[in-house]
Amino acid sequence: MYICTLFMAYLLHIDTSTDIGSVAVSHNGKLIHSISGVAARNHAGTVNSMISDCLATADITLNDIAAVVVCAGPGSYTGLRIAMATAKGICYALDKPLILNNKLTLLALNQCNKENDDISDFVAAILVAREKEYYMSIYTTNKICIQEPIHTTENDAQDLLKKCQKLHIISDLPEEEFHKMNVVPNVFSADITIDYIFWAAYAYEQFTCQEFVNIAAAAPFYLKQVYTHN
């Protein structure tokens, strides 16, 4: 059982799902400060220093943090494990709760907040997993999830997307590749960067509702099979 002090809810955000990691501190749903790394794929060597720098700028310590929030994927397997291990270490050491967010959900819901109902009816967040394979989630613009985050093939993605009229796609796959699938979004966004201002507000809602995960059982959102070699 965690004792949550809502009027002093500093949250530590960690995202190492992509080549460049980032961390942030928010307070009661408002972004205080964020830092992005400068070295690609060096999360293990930079995440702790970024956390220290971010906390120092916010003029707080780890003891002041009410919870840790992690973008748990999908993304780089190694990056996801580093963020999860870092967050679990803090949570265990300081008896803090852990919140996990899916990047697809963050991208889609952030766009839903901005969407004009006359422009789109659906928002799809789509990230490349490998050639002709994707991670995908679809929401209506009034934030109803019609497709939970999944790993899917190009053919199945095409079938799902064709069912959505007035579609806004957020993706790191070039727009012309969707045209080749006979999927023509009425709006396309290539920016797959998490909006920390939105993430701060979204995570605070989860914090106030105590939507915490079991730390011992918490795992990244790989969404597809992880292959290892003996």
Side-chain angles (χ1 to χ4, degrees):
M1 177 66 69
Y2 299 102
I3 300 174
C4 300
T5 307
L6 300 184
F7 61 90
M8 286 293 288
Y10 286 101
L11 303 183
L12 174 64
H13 304 251
I14 305 174
D15 176 22
T16 57
S17 63
T18 59
D19 287 350
I20 301 297
S22 60
V23 301
V25 171
S26 64
H27 179 247
N28 290 359
K30 304 293 184 182
L31 178 65
I32 300 299
H33 187 61
S34 64
I35 296 177
S36 294
V38 294
R41 300 189 179 186
N42 187 29
H43 304 311
T46 60
V47 66
N48 287 315
S49 62
M50 286 196 298
I51 290 172
S52 296
D53 290 346
C54 204
L55 292 171
T57 300
D59 197 25
I60 61 173
T61 69
L62 275 177
N63 285 320
D64 297 315
I65 293 295
V68 182
V69 190
V70 175
C71 175
S76 158
Y77 288 155
T78 300
L80 297 181
R81 291 194 293 270
I82 290 170
M84 188 67 68
T86 302
K88 283 189 175 185
I90 294 170
C91 291
Y92 276 130
L94 301 177
D95 194 27
K96 305 294 184 180
L98 177 63
I99 298 171
L100 300 185
N101 290 142
N102 191 296
K103 183 170 185 176
L104 297 169
T105 301
L106 294 174
L107 292 173
L109 290 182
N110 179 45
Q111 188 56 52
C112 289
N113 275 355
K114 303 175 182 178
E115 202 67 56
N116 184 322
D117 289 341
D118 294 332
I119 297 177
S120 303
D121 291 333
F122 300 92
V123 175
I126 304 168
L127 302 175
V128 176
R130 60 177 64 179
E131 186 176 4
K132 297 187 182 299
E133 295 181 19
Y134 311 102
Y135 305 116
M136 182 170 68
S137 185
I138 305 174
Y139 282 78
T140 65
T141 50
N142 58 353
K143 303 181 183 179
I144 297 174
C145 183
I146 64 169
Q147 176 57 65
E148 295 286 346
I150 57 168
H151 169 252
T152 186
T153 63
E154 182 172 275
N155 288 338
D156 288 342
Q158 182 181 26
D159 291 340
L160 287 168
L161 294 172
K162 281 186 174 181
K163 297 176 183 178
C164 302
Q165 300 300 314
K166 297 177 67 177
L167 176 64
H168 186 144
I169 290 178
I170 307 161
S171 182
D172 55 350
L173 183 71
E175 185 175 5
E176 55 267 26
E177 295 300 317
F178 290 99
H179 294 174
K180 293 176 183 178
M181 297 184 220
N182 295 316
V183 174
V184 181
N186 68 316
V187 183
F188 180 85
S189 301
D191 185 1
I192 59 166
T193 305
I194 294 174
D195 184 333
Y196 268 104
I197 293 176
F198 167 77
W199 194 12
Y202 182 72
Y204 182 65
E205 288 183 11
Q206 293 178 296
F207 176 79
T208 58
C209 295
Q210 298 193 29
E211 295 179 10
F212 308 137
V213 300
N214 181 305
I215 297 173
F221 302 134
Y222 294 122
L223 296 187
K224 69 174 182 176
Q225 180 67 46
V226 181
Y227 294 98
T228 59
H229 300 280
N230 294 326

